[in-house]
Amino acid sequence: MLKKIEQWIDKTNTYYTSQRVCCSQFKNEFSDFYPLDFLSNSFYVVVDKIPKPDFDELRSMGVSDFIDMDAAGITYKNTYYVLPHMQDNLRVHFHELVHVAQWGELGSIAFMQRYLSEIQQLGYHNAPLELMAYELDAHFTHAGEGINIPRHVANTL
């Protein structure tokens, strides 16, 4: 199942390649949190509808609520997708970049396995990977001290 999801992700990311925007544009806003090389290898795409793999197998695993949830953004590997009304929201970008760091640290299969397991067992709002992203984006939003996010994610996972 995870390979099927990864193939869907790769196909989705490839489809949107020409629309990707490099996150290096946030080098000033996120300079105390994300190294430039990390931002230069991270991308976002503005879409009218957040792409999600809607497979019967996923629904039978009990993640229908997540699939059907109205999300402001979603991350697949080093690319995340945001809705037009969120494209200027730095907190959303910061949050999704935490997920880019998580994907990078864990690798695709391990990230998907852990993320799905957390959502199944604890629900989206209590999933540790999500809680980490929400805590860090809140820290940023409240002008918290700079933290190297990719390093923090690596040390925390």
Side-chain angles (χ1 to χ4, degrees):
M1 179 63 191
L2 295 176
K3 284 290 184 194
K4 182 178 179 181
I5 297 169
E6 185 172 33
Q7 289 172 346
W8 180 90
I9 287 170
D10 290 342
K11 184 177 178 183
T12 300
N13 284 347
T14 298
Y15 178 80
Y16 286 103
T17 298
S18 66
Q19 296 174 49
R20 293 188 321 172
V21 179
C22 184
C23 292
S24 63
Q25 76 176 50
F26 301 120
K27 67 183 177 194
N28 294 328
E29 295 89 344
F30 296 159
S31 64
D32 294 337
F33 297 92
Y34 293 104
L36 182 56
D37 63 329
F38 177 86
L39 292 174
S40 296
N41 290 299
S42 303
F43 305 89
Y44 73 93
V45 180
V46 178
V47 291
D48 290 326
K49 183 177 186 228
I50 298 294
K52 294 183 188 173
D54 190 359
F55 301 139
D56 290 338
E57 299 96 324
L58 281 172
R59 290 189 178 278
S60 67
M61 290 171 60
V63 294
S64 294
D65 287 348
F66 174 74
I67 294 169
D68 297 332
M69 180 177 80
D70 288 331
I74 198 162
T75 302
Y76 300 125
K77 299 183 176 184
N78 71 337
T79 303
Y80 59 94
Y81 298 82
V82 295
L83 296 173
H85 70 280
M86 292 294 179
Q87 71 182 352
D88 295 325
N89 186 318
L90 284 178
R91 186 171 184 168
V92 170
H93 288 281
F94 193 98
H95 180 100
E96 297 305 328
L97 284 165
V98 172
H99 290 312
V100 170
Q102 292 169 340
W103 275 90
E105 184 61 29
L106 293 172
S108 299
I109 298 299
F111 176 89
M112 289 185 291
Q113 194 169 32
R114 180 170 171 176
Y115 193 85
L116 289 170
S117 174
E118 289 178 2
I119 288 177
Q120 282 176 300
Q121 294 173 19
L122 305 166
Y124 172 82
H125 295 289
N126 295 312
L129 290 171
E130 281 300 334
L131 290 175
M132 178 190 291
Y134 280 112
E135 288 168 8
L136 291 170
D137 77 45
H139 176 80
F140 166 75
T141 301
H142 295 103
E145 181 181 325
I147 301 169
N148 182 310
I149 297 297
R151 186 178 310 135
H152 176 79
V153 167
N155 293 335
T156 305
L157 291 179

